[in-house]
Amino acid sequence: MNRRSFLTAIPLAGMATVVGSNPAVQAAAAPPLSDREYNVKLLLRIADPVITQLSRGKLKATMPTEVAPHYGKPVEKVTYLEAFGRTLAGLAPWLELGADSSAEGRQREKMGKLARQAIAMAVDPASPDYMNFTGKYDAQPLVDGAFLAHGLLRAPETLWRGLSSSTRSQVVDALTSLRSIKPGNNNWLLFSAIIEAMLLQFGAEWKREPVDLAVQKMEEWYKGDGMYGDGAAFHFDYYNSFVIHPMLVDVLKVMTEKQVYPAATYDKVFKRMQRYSAILERQISPEGTFPVVGRSMPYRNAAFQALAQVALADKLPEDILPAQVRCALTAVNKRLFEAPGTFDKNGWLQLGVCGHQPSLADVYTSTGSLYLCTTGFLALGLPAAHPFWAAPAASWTSKKVWSGEQVEKDHAINF
């Protein structure tokens, strides 16, 4: 009997038995995940060890402390706040969608509860996972206190207002204690600024001077065409996405809403971020790779935080379809996170870009540093029905170009 005759001869019940008894066949028969399902599952795979263990007061007891070659910091004084602040900064927009009756909505409800418990553990002096919010050992806590503040700004209902009054007070105490750390004359100015913006947003006592200094200096360091210097010098790296655009825009968003700064200032910096997002989208190759250049490459897809944030705001440049960004970022995530060695045997991230590559890490990079990658998932803060997630798949710019399709020429901005 030939193969076709054999297949047509198998009764449907028999076929079900064959599929049901063979895990490989069963997996092949399962419907593929949608891009949203894939990205939610991946974000939770990354974030869950940090949030769950911290919510139990067991982060310090369980998280590895891998460090880069020639690492120069007291790792156990800084890496846990790195992991938590950065994870929350990326997870927050998805949590802010809130609970609903869908499977994803129930996941958000569960993770939101754990995240609030984790915040309480991080700022309670009696907690086994109480974190270092001082400059006593190193200046690094200013960086990651800022990412924590950014996460709270991105989920005011689910995170900030869901906290007890005592925990909110402890958060304020922790973040204001970071004022003792003097930021460097570079992107670090934005860390002080976003902490003050968060305090203002939530009605705590705040200081304007760090905000004014950061905004002034970033304007001085603007190089044109959507690019800022990191200090007076221009660095060819992804710090415009890791820190500068996302924090500057969100600082000025608060300042505009509170009528501290005119709306025109915010509008200008947002348009610059839109231009930078267009550049980022064009850097994603047809295969889902991107240039590995500059510092901090083990932050992986955080290189696309600015693009994801513009998508989250639903303000992508007119010639970029939301679906093409979704498909591009999903392709990037598959290349990054499916590489063997990306996670250790217990599910924690390891140093590297495409797998385990400690030699690519900078001297300030530890396990906790890697969790900035969650900021590449900001677009999950858009509802599932939004065209970003619901529209049919679309090719991104480089995929269209290298397939011979017609694509509009690129152009710079002049402000």
Side-chain angles (χ1 to χ4, degrees):
M1 181 180 291
N2 64 35
R3 181 175 180 274
R4 177 170 298 183
S5 299
F6 172 73
L7 289 176
T8 57
I10 297 177
L12 290 178
M15 180 65 80
T17 301
V18 171
V19 172
S21 63
N22 188 324
V25 176
Q26 191 174 37
L33 296 176
S34 69
D35 286 346
R36 184 177 181 92
E37 289 169 332
Y38 177 86
N39 281 282
V40 168
K41 184 177 181 180
L42 179 56
L43 175 59
L44 291 178
R45 181 183 182 188
I46 295 166
D48 183 72
V50 176
I51 300 300
T52 297
Q53 294 299 343
L54 180 54
S55 72
R56 297 169 178 170
K58 294 183 178 180
L59 184 65
K60 293 181 181 180
T62 57
M63 193 181 97
T65 55
E66 183 184 16
V67 298
H70 311 296
Y71 182 81
K73 293 178 180 286
V75 64
E76 293 186 351
K77 301 297 183 182
V78 299
T79 196
Y80 305 113
L81 181 56
E82 283 187 282
F84 180 49
R86 295 169 188 226
T87 298
L88 210 65
L91 189 63
W94 180 69
L95 293 178
E96 189 66 354
L97 286 176
D100 59 41
S101 60
S102 68
E104 184 186 322
R106 292 191 295 272
Q107 288 176 310
R108 285 196 298 270
E109 182 177 27
K110 176 184 176 182
M111 188 57 69
K113 181 179 179 180
L114 292 175
R116 292 188 294 273
Q117 292 171 349
I119 294 169
M121 283 288 183
V123 299
D124 181 357
S127 162
D129 274 339
Y130 178 57
M131 294 184 177
N132 171 35
F133 288 92
T134 74
K136 182 178 179 181
Y137 309 99
D138 191 87
Q140 185 67 40
L142 174 61
V143 178
D144 299 299
F147 285 121
L148 173 60
H150 206 175
L152 293 169
L153 280 173
R154 285 171 165 167
E157 296 299 328
T158 299
L159 294 181
W160 180 254
R161 295 187 179 93
L163 299 174
S164 68
S165 59
S166 60
T167 297
R168 288 198 296 266
S169 294
Q170 289 173 333
V171 170
V172 170
D173 289 344
L175 294 180
T176 54
S177 72
L178 294 170
R179 289 172 177 161
S180 64
I181 301 175
K182 181 177 173 61
N185 197 36
N186 50 31
N187 74 86
W188 279 49
L189 294 176
L190 288 163
F191 300 140
S192 296
I194 202 155
I195 289 172
E196 298 301 332
M198 182 234 118
L199 295 171
L200 171 62
Q201 180 68 28
F202 296 132
E205 182 181 349
W206 74 292
K207 293 187 175 182
R208 178 168 175 163
E209 292 82 1
V211 174
D212 288 342
L213 179 60
V215 173
Q216 172 196 332
K217 287 297 183 181
M218 294 316 305
E219 187 62 30
E220 289 178 11
W221 298 334
Y222 182 63
K223 305 302 181 184
D225 202 22
M227 302 279 194
Y228 292 92
D230 188 4
F234 177 75
H235 295 188
F236 202 130
D237 55 30
Y238 290 98
Y239 269 81
N240 271 270
S241 202
F242 294 150
V243 176
I244 295 171
H245 278 291
M247 287 198 177
L248 180 60
V249 161
D250 282 351
V251 165
L252 286 170
K253 182 180 180 182
V254 173
M255 296 302 129
T256 300
E257 291 172 352
K258 298 295 184 179
Q259 300 183 328
V260 177
Y261 278 51
T265 305
Y266 171 80
D267 292 341
K268 178 175 66 177
V269 300
F270 193 92
K271 288 176 182 177
R272 289 172 178 173
M273 184 164 71
Q274 284 178 309
R275 169 56 183 159
Y276 184 65
S277 74
I279 294 171
L280 289 174
E281 191 271 345
R282 285 176 175 260
Q283 289 183 345
I284 300 173
S285 78
E287 299 78 25
T289 61
F290 58 97
V292 178
V293 59
R295 300 170 293 154
S296 302
M297 287 310 304
Y299 298 170
R300 294 181 168 98
N301 58 324
F304 298 99
Q305 179 180 191
L307 174 59
Q309 184 163 324
V310 172
L312 175 63
D314 202 14
K315 293 182 179 179
L316 286 166
E318 290 183 2
D319 58 343
I320 298 179
L321 295 173
Q324 78 185 64
V325 176
R326 177 192 86 224
C327 293
L329 293 180
T330 301
V332 167
N333 289 343
K334 289 180 178 181
R335 291 301 300 257
L336 291 172
F337 295 104
E338 293 181 8
T342 300
F343 299 90
D344 72 11
K345 64 181 181 180
N346 295 315
W348 300 93
L349 289 172
Q350 298 197 107
L351 273 60
V353 176
C354 186
H356 190 207
Q357 301 159 308
S359 61
L360 280 171
D362 294 272
V363 296
Y364 47 78
T365 307
S366 66
T367 299
S369 313
L370 309 178
Y371 287 85
L372 194 62
C373 70
T374 60
T375 60
F377 295 87
L378 295 181
L380 284 172
L382 294 168
H386 189 280
F388 184 95
W389 296 109
S395 295
W396 51 100
T397 300
S398 70
K399 190 171 183 179
K400 288 188 283 190
V401 168
W402 295 107
S403 296
E405 295 182 41
Q406 296 297 318
V407 174
E408 290 297 318
K409 62 182 176 64
D410 192 30
H411 55 85
I413 60 171
N414 298 310
F415 54 84

